[in-house]
Amino acid sequence: MQLKRGCRLWWVAALAVAIDRICKVAVTRAMALSPARTVLPGVLSWAYTQNRGVAFGLLSGAAVLPLLTLALIVLLLVYLLRRPKAGAALRTGLWLIVGGGLGNLYDRLAYGYVIDFIRLDFINFAIFNPADVFVCAGAVLVAIAVLLEDRRKAHG
């Protein structure tokens, strides 16, 4: 029963991976002739890049990146399976992180780099992809869940 509850939200990760793959395949095909395309002028563009590092290109070319990504995913899965009574928000956030991690891990294993293409034109920020969005959204959700749980325990 505990295993079943810990895995209950697996579909969140599966959906994140599917959305990430569909977007990356569509953008890669659409941008075969042009590496940049404006979507909303001054707000959003597609700018195809091959990220061989982690966030912001750090550790570019490090052969250990797929192993680190896999290790982190396994640790999150172990936590999810061992803590089935964790709140739904915490579990959802962790499954989002797993899904985003799997999306980028697929790229690293299949291509040797991660496909990034989302560029925010109104701010000087890194180019990213849907998997990155899922990882960040999951991390925010986990942080909120932990803070709310701490607050609940403090106020008994």
Side-chain angles (χ1 to χ4, degrees):
M1 182 65 175
Q2 282 189 344
L3 180 63
K4 184 177 179 181
R5 180 164 180 182
C7 292
R8 186 177 297 159
L9 294 170
W10 66 269
W11 60 268
V12 171
L15 184 61
V17 171
I19 291 170
D20 182 62
R21 290 301 318 138
I22 290 166
C23 290
K24 287 176 179 173
V25 167
V27 165
T28 301
R29 287 182 182 165
M31 298 185 75
L33 299 176
S34 171
R37 183 171 293 161
T38 299
V39 178
L40 292 170
V43 178
L44 179 69
S45 345
W46 297 156
Y48 178 88
T49 61
Q50 298 174 353
N51 183 353
R52 297 181 189 281
V54 291
F56 309 109
L58 297 172
L59 299 175
S60 185
V64 72
L65 287 178
L67 290 175
L68 288 174
T69 304
L70 185 59
L72 289 171
I73 290 169
V74 168
L75 286 172
L76 290 175
L77 289 173
V78 167
Y79 180 86
L80 281 162
L81 298 177
R82 291 180 144 293
R83 305 279 185 179
K85 292 184 181 181
L90 178 66
R91 286 184 316 191
T92 301
L94 292 174
W95 280 113
L96 280 170
I97 295 169
V98 168
L102 287 171
N104 282 340
L105 179 62
Y106 176 88
D107 284 7
R108 288 191 197 290
L109 296 175
Y111 314 121
Y113 54 84
V114 172
I115 297 168
D116 286 337
F117 61 90
I118 302 170
R119 181 174 60 204
L120 301 176
D121 296 329
F122 60 90
I123 188 171
N124 185 15
F125 191 70
I127 298 172
F128 55 98
N129 63 49
D132 299 335
V133 173
F134 294 127
V135 168
C136 291
V140 168
L141 194 53
V142 166
I144 291 169
V146 168
L147 290 172
L148 290 176
E149 180 63 20
D150 284 351
R151 184 174 179 202
R152 185 189 64 77
K153 284 181 182 177
H155 292 93

